[in-house]
Amino acid sequence: KAGVTQTPRYLIKTRGQQVTLSCSPISGHRSVSWYQQTPGQGLQFLFEYFSETQRNKGNFPGRFSGRQFSNSRSEMNVSTLELGDSALYLCASSLAAGSVYGYTFGSGTRLTVV
Amino acid sequence: AQRVTQPEKLLSVFKGAPVELKCNYSYSGSPELFWYVQYSRQRLQLLLRHISRESIKGFTADLNKGETSFHLKKPFAQEEDSAMYYCALSSGAGKSTFGDGTTLTVKP
């Protein structure tokens, strides 16, 4: 079956702009989590969605937001981009909420803010 | 607060030698622990979960609650084991905390 699909793979944006990233989880997986990966901070949790509801949110400013649709696809949005938002954004899907079964990761979206 | 520490950023062993990647955690409840692996130019993937008590690609990991550790072990390392390994802890509340990762290099 198809894996976790993230689009686009690469993005270059200018400071102040906003960006929307998309994630399609594995069929049947209803939980989608987002992580930011940077060389300095490693993998940092952004948020988790399950059945269209945000269950948990990491320590990121309100410029970072997300949503989940009825088909479990998820989007995350970053507004008013800053240079420090440059990172690899990873989407992870799981069969159930709470990540207790572990994640299946997408390939990520590489965001560069200039 | 939950915390995962992988004390070694880099680990290098020879093919056929035993390998142990260390992971220590801090969490007040009953954690779910995982090892993830990322091979060169591939996506991050789940290697094993402590609740499964399984052996994947010859790797095993035992949860030691007394020492709050979840070390990953393999008796005979292979060159194809060279990768980045991450230890992760899930509290069940929808958030996993990852360690900083250990880059394992297996030399021929």
Side-chain angles (χ1 to χ4, degrees):
Chain A
K1 56 185 175 183
V4 178
T5 304
Q6 290 188 248
T7 56
R9 290 293 308 276
Y10 303 93
L11 266 177
I12 299 176
K13 289 287 188 178
T14 304
R15 269 183 305 174
Q17 286 186 312
Q18 76 164 19
V19 66
T20 299
L21 313 181
S22 180
C23 171
S24 293
I26 287 177
S27 178
H29 283 195
R30 294 165 62 194
S31 171
V32 174
S33 298
W34 289 88
Y35 284 81
Q36 182 194 65
Q37 187 176 29
T38 59
Q41 298 295 318
L43 280 149
Q44 300 286 312
F45 172 77
L46 280 156
F47 23 67
E48 183 202 28
Y49 286 89
F50 181 80
S51 293
E52 302 177 65
T53 301
Q54 187 181 89
R55 291 188 73 245
N56 207 340
K57 187 173 173 18
N59 295 325
F60 280 82
R63 301 185 295 107
F64 290 81
S65 63
R67 58 178 175 168
Q68 187 180 34
F69 302 95
S70 58
N71 62 357
S72 295
R73 191 177 71 85
S74 177
E75 289 180 348
M76 68 163 279
N77 185 76
V78 188
S79 62
T80 319
L81 283 165
E82 300 177 0
L83 294 179
D85 297 332
S86 294
L88 180 67
Y89 289 88
L90 292 171
C91 170
S93 79
S94 187
L95 192 60
S99 68
V100 294
Y101 293 105
Y103 293 126
T104 302
F105 280 91
S107 296
T109 294
R110 172 79 59 188
L111 172 64
T112 303
V113 182
V114 297
Chain B
Q2 52 194 68
R3 187 179 180 88
V4 175
T5 302
Q6 294 180 248
E8 304 137 329
K9 287 181 74 73
L10 302 170
L11 184 62
S12 182
V13 301
F14 284 102
K15 177 182 171 182
V19 62
E20 181 180 55
L21 294 92
K22 291 184 168 50
C23 172
N24 293 94
Y25 67 90
S26 172
Y27 181 63
S28 56
S30 293
E32 301 291 343
L33 285 150
F34 307 84
W35 278 98
Y36 289 85
V37 61
Q38 188 165 29
Y39 301 102
S40 178
R41 296 182 186 156
Q42 293 187 28
R43 61 184 68 186
L44 195 57
Q45 57 186 283
L46 180 64
L47 180 62
L48 55 80
R49 307 174 289 168
H50 94 270
I51 56 173
S52 300
R53 292 188 162 273
E54 56 203 343
S55 174
I56 303 293
K57 299 185 180 184
F59 284 99
T60 58
D62 290 317
L63 177 60
N64 185 323
K65 291 187 177 181
E67 296 181 359
T68 59
S69 68
F70 187 58
H71 303 329
L72 184 68
K73 300 176 184 179
K74 185 170 183 177
F76 307 103
Q78 302 299 314
E79 289 181 68
E80 55 265 30
D81 297 328
S82 295
M84 182 78 147
Y85 292 81
Y86 292 93
C87 180
L89 179 156
S90 170
S91 63
K95 168 186 174 181
S96 283
T97 299
F98 286 78
D100 290 335
T102 298
T103 301
L104 173 67
T105 301
V106 181
K107 296 181 285 188

